[in-house]
Amino acid sequence: MRFAHDTEEVLGFVVALCNTEPPASRSGADELATIEQLDALLVAHGYTGRVDHDEAELRDVHRTRTLLRHAWTLDRDDCVEAVNKMLRDARALPRLVRHDEQDWHMHATEPDAPLAERMRVEAALAFIDVIRMNEMGRLRICAADDCTGLLLDLSRNGLKRCGNRMNMIAFRERRAES
């Protein structure tokens, strides 16, 4: 399965963002509890544009994390409603842009829009590709009882499984040893 490169990047970010929440996180704790943790996530995923570095922004990102996790679990038709609401609430106006090292890609908010709003709109644009390709089955939640990690399955046969639970066990074992 191949989505457009920017769609895969955004969906990968949604997975990373939502998997900071316990019990989806590798540590079992909220891995987005501080402004510093948010900054690290943004740097790791090359986020550009306005970042306020304050508690209000962190709370808005937490609300966005919850909203995106919910959208991930919806069936196709219900996801359409959620996507349209995200775009409508932001008064999104899609356009092509090129900046930094990136070739032409779509934005629908201004770079100075609030961070969480940009996250929601970028995720909505990625969900549009998934919906149009009728590939909602590629967006899954880990099947393990003790893990709620999101999984983006880009494998050819659609049989990828979540590694979060095993990664969490290994992380806890390493931490206990040190």
Side-chain angles (χ1 to χ4, degrees):
M1 161 72 339
R2 297 309 298 179
F3 294 113
H5 177 70
D6 54 336
T7 296
E8 288 181 14
E9 283 183 4
V10 172
L11 293 174
F13 175 77
V14 171
V15 168
L17 173 66
C18 292
N19 287 351
T20 62
E21 193 173 49
S25 70
R26 291 180 180 189
S27 68
D30 186 345
E31 295 177 351
L32 195 62
T34 67
I35 294 167
E36 294 75 23
Q37 289 173 316
L38 174 58
D39 289 344
L41 180 70
L42 298 175
V43 168
H45 288 273
Y47 247 83
T48 60
R50 171 183 160 192
V51 180
D52 295 339
H53 306 282
D54 62 22
E55 291 294 327
E57 180 175 70
L58 182 62
R59 285 190 302 274
D60 199 16
V61 170
H62 283 169
R63 286 187 293 273
T64 295
R65 177 176 69 179
T66 301
L67 175 70
L68 296 179
R69 172 177 284 286
H70 176 69
W72 195 272
T73 66
L74 296 173
D75 67 31
R76 188 176 185 214
D77 291 344
D78 291 335
C79 192
V80 168
E81 289 182 35
V83 164
N84 285 340
K85 182 174 181 355
M86 284 185 263
L87 295 172
R88 187 174 51 252
D89 289 351
R91 289 182 228 86
L93 182 60
R95 66 194 176 287
L96 289 170
V97 297
R98 183 168 49 190
H99 57 85
D100 303 320
E101 301 295 319
Q102 299 179 25
D103 197 6
W104 292 108
H105 59 283
M106 198 176 326
H107 279 219
T109 59
E110 295 298 325
D112 63 344
L115 174 64
E117 178 178 288
R118 291 193 331 269
M119 288 177 174
R120 290 186 297 270
V121 169
E122 289 178 18
L125 294 175
F127 279 124
I128 287 171
D129 285 346
V130 176
I131 292 165
R132 289 179 49 159
M133 294 175 74
N134 198 18
E135 292 288 354
M136 292 298 292
R138 301 291 181 155
L139 311 181
R140 296 201 297 267
I141 303 279
C142 180
D145 291 338
D146 58 348
C147 180
T148 61
L150 299 190
L151 172 66
L152 172 61
D153 185 356
L154 299 175
S155 68
R156 185 180 306 237
N157 62 6
L159 297 176
K160 182 177 177 182
R161 297 291 175 247
C162 176
N164 268 6
R165 184 171 58 123
M166 298 312 295
N167 291 335
M168 188 182 331
I169 291 167
F171 172 81
R172 288 179 180 159
E173 287 174 356
R174 284 191 306 274
R175 192 165 64 176
E177 291 172 5
S178 59

